[in-house]
Amino acid sequence: CSSDDDDSDNKDNGNPPEEEAVITAPDVIGTYWGNLDISMIPDGSDQEIVIGDGIEKFITLSQVSNTEVKMELKDFELLKFGDIVIDKCEVKKGEGMSTFTGQQDLTFEGDAASLGTCPVTVTGAVEDGNADMTINVKVPALQQTVKVTYSGVKQVAEPSGT
């Protein structure tokens, strides 16, 4: 019995110790410049209606914790959403790349406030400074999902004082 007790002592925290030290967020943080493609998908349909193509935008991924980032798409003009922000996206290391996923219910301000609460999901990957992500904004009031596909390149920070 005592050997079983010893084993359980090592598992009290519920996580193997090697997983606790994984720091994934710094691999993806940064500001990315790229293009958005936007489509609408009616509920119950798999047909995408393209409503925006090649729209240039910055997306920022900032560190929240060792394994989480915040995703910010500012001034999203379509449907006057304004800013799309997911406060916590979990970052995982993959083979030569990092992936991130997040979900949050957003209530937009201003003209888009009438749309009510919209569940938003983001999935993405960063590889060699290139970010690809898909943001889905489900708009129950319109019975539509707004799908944003983004591809961008990480911007190199300017040295301060120049």
Side-chain angles (χ1 to χ4, degrees), residues 2-70:
S2 64
S3 66
D4 288 343
D5 290 343
D6 290 343
D7 287 347
S8 66
D9 287 347
N10 295 337
K11 296 177 184 166
D12 279 350
N13 61 9
N15 292 323
E18 61 270 14
E19 282 189 23
E20 291 174 12
V22 174
I23 299 174
T24 55
D27 296 337
V28 301
I29 59 173
T31 297
Y32 296 84
W33 172 249
N35 293 307
L36 299 174
D37 294 330
I38 307 163
S39 56
M40 301 281 281
I41 307 167
D43 287 356
S45 169
D46 57 3
Q47 185 173 354
E48 295 185 24
I49 301 147
V50 175
I51 54 173
D53 200 13
I55 299 162
E56 295 184 325
K57 272 290 179 194
F58 283 107
I59 288 185
T60 303
L61 299 173
S62 53
Q63 189 163 344
V64 176
S65 72
N66 286 341
T67 58
E68 293 172 318
V69 293
K70 176 179 180 178

Side-chain angles (χ1 to χ4, degrees), residues 27-28 32 95-100 124-132 152-154:
D27 296 337
V28 301
Y32 296 84
E95 192 81 20
M97 61 189 250
S98 295
T99 59
F100 58 94
V126 175
E127 183 174 10
D128 297 329
N130 296 311
D132 292 296
V153 178
K154 187 173 184 173

